[in-house]
Structures are given as C-alpha cells and as structure tokens.
Amino acid sequence: MLFPVLNPHRQRLWHFHGGVHLPDEKTLSNGAPSVAAPLPKRLTVPLQQHIGAPADPCVAVGDHVRKGQMLAKPQGYVSAPVHAPSSGTVVAIEHRRVPHPSGLSAPCVVIETDGEDAWAELPAPLPDFEQRDPSELRERIRQSGIVGMGGASFPSSVKLNPGPDQPIATLVINGAECEPYITCDDLLMRERAADIVDGIRVMLHILGTKRCLVGIEDNKPEAIVAMRQAARQGDPAGRISVVEIPTLYPSGGEKQLIKILTGKEVPSHGIPAQIGIVCQNVGTACAVADAVLRGRPLVERLVTVTGRAVAEPRNYRVRIGTSAAELIAASGGFVGEPEKLVVGGPMMGFSVDTDALPITKAANCLLALTAAESPDPGEPQACIRCGRCAEVCPANLLPQQLYWHARSKDLDKVQDYNLFDCIECGCCAHVCPSHIPLVQYYRYAKTESWAREREKRAAEHARERHAAREARLERLERERKAKLRKKKEPVAAAGGADAKQAAIKAARERAAQKRTAPDGASAHSATPAAAKGNGADKTATAGASAVGSPSAEPRRPGGHAASSSPAEQAAASNPPPTPPQQEGPRASAGNA
C-alpha cells in the first residue's frame, strides 16, 4: 500500500501470454533530433494508403495543385481522402509500384513539384473543439485523410465512431513502439508531446470519455518524461495517465497493450470497442491535433531510416509520396550492398527488391540490413514439435496446428484454430529451431480464405440476382394477365345475356350444318341424283324426311341409308354421267 504513495505514476499492470525479448537496436537512430527531408522533384501519391475502399481521383493530368489540396475523394464509409504533399503539376495518374509484400502496383497521382511548397486554402481551425459537436470533429478528421499511423492504417474517423450501443470508457494511446530499430514514435513524443496531448483531448471529447492511458515502454525514458509533463500542462483535470510498461515484444500490439494496461481481453474476432476501449497511435493523435486545431490534412509523417547498411541512420519528417531512394540518399546512401531492404520493422515488416517506392501513411521505417544483421537461416527443416512457438505466441494460439493445416490448404481447419486472431508478430518464426517461415504460411492461408469468401459472396450475389429476376418475370406476367382481364371485362359487360345467347345459337347452327352436310359439303349444294327422275326424287325426298324425322334410319358415310342394297350402293358409288339440268319444278325440288 505504501508503494503507490511513493510512486504516484505506478499503476497495476497485467501480462499477456508469450512474447519475446529482442535487442532493440534503437540507439542507431534516436540520438539526433528529426530533420525535414528534402523536397523531391516528383511525388508519387498512392490512392489507397488505408484499409478500405481506395480514394477516387478528383484531379486530372495537367492540373496545378497546392499543398494540402485534395487529390482523391473517399469512396464509401471505410475510406479516406488523399491530399497533395506539396505544390506542383499533376503529370500522370497511373499504376505504379507501391510498398506491398507481393510487390503489387496501384493507382497513383504523380506530381512534379514547383519548389514553392505553397499551401492551399485550408479549413478554419477549431480551437473551441470542446463546444463543437463530435460529428463535426469526426468529419474534419475524415476530410483530413487521417488514418492509423501505427501500421494498420484504419480510417480514424471510423474508429472514433463506435456507435451509441458501444459506450467507450477508456481511450488507450499506443506509444510502446516495441519493434527493434524503429524510433519515429519515440522522437515524436519527445518533440511534439504537447500536440499529442491536444489530439488526445480532441479524441476524448469525440468519444465522450474521461480516461486516457498512454502506454510507453521503459526503454524510452525521455519520451515518458516529456509526455508526463505535457499531460500535466495540457490537461489539468488529470484525465491522461502516462504508464510505463515493461519492454517485451509485442507489447505494442493493440490487444496486447490493452491487456497490459487494463487487464481486459478483446474477444476473438472482436474489436476493442466491444469492451469499451478505443486504441490509437501517438502519431494519429498528433495528426488529429493538426487537423482540428490547424486545419492541416495528413501530408507528412516521421519515418525512421536505419540499419547498419545505411551511412547515417536518423528520423525524417517526410512528405507522403517521397521516394525511398531519396530518403536513403539523404542518409548518406548505402554502406556496401545491403542484404535486405525492409519496409517496417524486422519482425512485422516486409522485404522489397527496390528502393524506387513511395512513402505512404503506413510506412514508419526503412530498414537496410547487413548480412550480419540478417543472416540466412538456411533451408527449413521438419517440425520437431518442440512447442516453443506455442509458448511465445501472444495471441495464445497453436502455431503448430495452424502451420500443418495451412500447409495442407485445409482452410476450414485453420479457421477452426482461430487463424484470424494471429497478429503476424513473428514470435513463432523467431524461436523456431527448424527455421520454418510460419508467418508466411499464415499470411497465405488468410489470403486464400479471403479469396474463397469473396467467391462465396459473389456466388451468393449471383443467386440473389437470379431469384430477383425470376420474381420480376413472374410479376410482369401476372400484371400482363391482369391487364388482359381488365380489357375483356367491359366487352362482356356491354353484351350481357343477349350476347351470350347469340353466341350459343350460332354455335348450334354451326353444329347442325356439320351434321347435315355429306362429306363436308354444304347442305344447300345439289346432288348428282337430283336430275334422274322419280327414283332420284324419292331418294331426295326420303333423305329430307330422314333429316327432319326423329325415327329416320341412320346414314352411313357418303349419305346412303344403312338398308341400301349392294346394287344401290354400287350405283351410288359409280353414278352415270350427269345429264343436262332440266328446267321446271322438279329440278327446283331436287335443289331444295
């Protein structure tokens, strides 16, 4: 009970599972203050520097732009705009190579700078932000293009809008910077601690919370002192607590830092907002202060250029879109041929095969390693099932099972073992005695799982479209039949019963004509036997009486009576030549 009185900054800390101790190598670059990088002749600004939909260009080739002018507008909610890092002329909008583990290309706006570095007209500062509505401040942050500066690059306006159903109790600021070699956050906290505190105050107002914990590893004593002093001066209410935490990789992971500072665990497949916490980087807090209090969008960041393959490692204030080659040249160039050039830190960064790549909002370090710093581990050996990977995993996963299922491409199994809880910190690969590149297998399995999920969504979307089409066709057919019925109703109503009786009478007459006409001939047509005299007359008379009499004998096809003799039938079937028509009453009777 006495220790907290003697050390008022002491706060109870928790420990996450696993982790490794690494040589930090931070003294290479943190001994000198940061400097502004030279203004390059050309800036290559990628349109997607964040998680979410890429920005949509709103400038054209040949346009003259000023520093801070919007180059591309956000598309959708999870997106962020991109601004001109300096003044100049847009000379191209095309695909260029960008920092990516797979060496992919992406749409970029290429600006030829004019050397003036002239600012565009900026939004008015909001020094009275505590009297402003949080939605107005979130929109300012969104339009300023601010994303997470710790590496994930998630749009900050989205992260600062957890929704009314997720009240936030604690804001966590990540100043741990646990990766070896990287010192840009360390220098930022030393040099701009007051701006970081201002950004924290803005975010506290947006979230509506009164508690902030700033976690900094104990290997950054100068940054801890600077931040505590700025917190006392900038926030007399005492809402901001700067907490010194042990140096252990990866304490700078979002979930791990939250566990250290609060003892709470983010649920699997969940986000910190579900347990009432929002986590932001110190660089993000500084960018928020620039956007709200000065109206400046995110157009530059601190970048560490380090490694023993660089002549003069140090930190630079770099305009977004500056080539990595120009930063290395500003640091005196390479000392010999580097064994490996890494964007990011040695644990979570990725190797690139060229320095002709632009700096993005997520690029916090350029690391040029010598052969001694990055020795070849040799060919991977078979897993000996030692279990060391499981011991150091900070997410408390089973890396062996994940590796086996990822290697066999059993994507369902890797998800059963919570693949997407893996933060790709590299602890498992670092301690593996068989030198198995475990993280690469996990990244491959994640990529394949995402691709399969996209295909599944596309197939489901196609099924929904087909079902909607079938329903639309059925609806159109019903509407067509309904219109036809409406057209028939007035006709039937106008005719009434008389029209119905007339139709029945006409049908009966047609049926009677069919019954009386021999072999389909008309009932009024003349017969060959009409001119043969009395025999023919009698036959016609008998036929006429047979039609009208109910007791008449049935007639066979051809018009002959059923009782006719064979001779009569033969005569009927082979009639003699027809004599000329006779005039008089008998001929008329035969035609009746």
Side-chain angles (χ1 to χ4, degrees):
M1 297 296 292
L2 184 61
F3 188 79
V5 176
L6 298 178
N7 187 355
H9 301 296
R10 186 70 178 176
Q11 177 177 327
R12 181 185 176 186
L13 301 179
W14 285 260
H15 180 71
F16 60 88
H17 181 270
V20 293
H21 290 278
L22 300 171
D24 57 28
E25 301 288 356
K26 295 181 182 290
T27 56
L28 288 174
S29 57
N30 66 358
S34 63
V35 296
L39 177 65
K41 294 182 180 179
R42 284 201 172 189
L43 294 165
T44 303
V45 185
L47 297 184
Q48 185 169 18
Q49 304 181 49
H50 52 270
I51 293 175
D56 184 30
C58 56
V59 295
V61 175
D63 289 354
H64 184 271
V65 297
R66 289 179 171 269
K67 185 176 181 179
Q69 179 179 335
M70 187 178 293
L71 299 177
K73 299 178 293 185
Q75 292 191 87
Y77 181 60
V78 185
S79 185
V82 176
H83 300 80
S86 185
S87 57
T89 303
V90 177
V91 296
I93 301 177
E94 60 189 13
H95 275 71
R96 296 282 185 95
R97 287 193 62 180
V98 297
H100 192 275
S102 300
L104 299 180
S105 300
C108 299
V109 176
V110 183
I111 301 174
E112 188 172 298
T113 58
D114 56 12
E116 297 180 2
D117 204 32
W119 281 95
E121 184 178 354
L122 300 177
L126 302 176
D128 58 341
F129 64 88
E130 292 182 338
Q131 281 72 48
R132 302 276 180 164
D133 189 83
S135 61
E136 181 183 356
L137 300 178
R138 279 194 296 266
E139 183 62 22
R140 169 63 65 89
I141 292 170
R142 170 181 167 84
Q143 294 301 322
S144 299
I146 299 176
V147 300
M149 305 286 282
S153 299
F154 193 82
S156 299
S157 60
V158 179
K159 210 170 185 180
L160 292 172
N161 188 23
D165 57 334
Q166 292 179 334
I168 303 302
T170 305
L171 172 64
V172 171
I173 299 298
N174 190 342
E177 198 171 46
C178 59
E179 277 238 41
Y181 289 94
I182 307 176
T183 59
C184 57
D185 286 350
D186 185 9
L187 266 291
L188 183 68
M189 288 185 286
R190 292 194 221 170
E191 298 174 351
R192 300 191 62 184
D195 292 331
I196 295 173
V197 169
D198 287 340
I200 293 173
R201 292 171 54 219
V202 172
M203 290 189 286
L204 287 173
H205 176 66
I206 293 174
L207 296 171
T209 183
K210 299 184 181 302
R211 183 191 185 205
C212 175
L213 300 176
V214 183
I216 307 174
E217 283 189 334
D218 55 13
N219 62 352
K220 306 173 184 62
E222 297 179 30
I224 294 172
V225 172
M227 285 297 298
R228 283 176 174 166
Q229 183 178 356
R232 285 194 299 269
Q233 296 176 354
D235 187 61
R239 297 175 298 174
I240 303 173
S241 300
V242 178
V243 184
E244 179 181 335
I245 64 175
T247 299
L248 179 68
Y249 180 81
S251 60
E254 182 178 67
K255 295 181 179 180
Q256 286 68 41
L257 183 61
I258 290 173
K259 178 64 181 294
I260 293 172
L261 295 177
T262 67
K264 297 181 179 180
E265 292 190 4
V266 179
S268 178
H269 304 289
I271 59 175
Q274 293 175 329
I275 58 173
I277 296 174
V278 167
C279 185
Q280 296 282 10
N281 182 263
V282 290
T284 307
C286 191
V288 167
D290 285 339
V292 174
L293 301 179
R294 301 170 186 86
R296 293 183 179 180
L298 180 57
V299 295
E300 68 176 21
R301 67 156 301 144
L302 270 181
V303 178
T304 303
V305 181
T306 186
R308 289 181 172 82
V310 174
E312 299 176 5
R314 70 184 312 162
N315 287 274
Y316 293 92
R317 297 189 298 276
V318 183
R319 294 170 180 81
I320 304 299
T322 302
S323 171
E326 297 190 44
L327 283 182
I328 293 171
S331 294
F334 293 119
V335 178
E337 186 67 23
E339 178 69 19
K340 187 184 295 184
L341 181 62
V342 179
V343 176
M347 299 296 288
M348 298 185 69
F350 53 89
S351 300
V352 293
D353 57 3
T354 178
D355 57 3
L357 299 172
I359 296 298
T360 63
K361 297 175 183 179
N364 56 358
C365 181
L366 285 177
L367 179 58
L369 299 173
T370 63
E373 292 176 297
S374 179
D376 184 7
E379 290 295 322
Q381 304 297 318
C383 175
I384 62 174
R385 304 185 182 184
C386 63
R388 294 181 64 185
C389 55
E391 293 174 0
V392 301
C393 178
N396 206 9
L397 302 177
L398 296 175
Q400 293 179 28
Q401 279 73 14
L402 288 173
Y403 160 66
W404 291 328
H405 295 308
R407 184 175 179 179
S408 62
K409 301 182 181 180
D410 191 345
L411 301 181
D412 292 328
K413 279 291 186 180
V414 293
Q415 294 192 46
D416 290 342
Y417 283 94
N418 298 318
L419 170 69
F420 289 98
D421 284 344
C422 172
I423 62 173
E424 302 178 17
C425 63
C427 289
C428 54
H430 178 74
V431 301
C432 180
S434 298
H435 306 295
I436 300 173
L438 296 170
V439 177
Q440 280 78 352
Y441 281 100
Y442 306 154
R443 287 174 177 169
Y444 162 77
K446 287 181 179 181
T447 303
E448 290 298 312
S449 298
W450 287 326
R452 189 176 69 170
E453 186 65 24
R454 285 194 297 269
E455 292 176 359
K456 182 179 178 181
R457 287 198 298 266
E460 184 64 27
H461 180 60
R463 283 193 294 269
E464 291 176 357
R465 289 185 61 193
H466 178 71
R469 179 179 180 274
E470 293 296 320
R472 178 172 56 84
L473 293 177
E474 291 179 4
R475 176 177 55 80
L476 293 176
E477 181 65 17
R478 290 195 301 269
E479 292 176 355
R480 186 188 68 80
K481 291 181 178 179
K483 289 180 181 179
L484 187 59
R485 285 195 300 270
K486 288 183 179 180
K487 288 182 180 180
K488 290 181 178 180
E489 287 174 359
V491 176
D498 294 340
K500 185 175 181 179
Q501 294 298 326
I504 293 173
K505 183 178 180 181
R508 286 178 176 175
E509 291 177 354
R510 288 194 298 271
Q513 289 176 3
K514 289 182 180 179
R515 287 195 300 268
T516 58
D519 292 332
S522 174
H524 300 285
S525 61
T527 62
K532 290 295 291 180
N534 294 335
D537 295 339
K538 292 178 181 180
T539 304
T541 305
S545 63
V547 171
S549 175
S551 61
E553 294 180 354
R555 303 183 65 85
R556 295 180 180 177
H560 304 292
S563 61
S564 300
S565 66
E568 291 173 342
Q569 294 178 12
S573 60
N574 296 299
T578 304
Q581 295 285 342
Q582 296 182 4
E583 298 289 337
R586 300 183 73 82
S588 300
N591 290 332

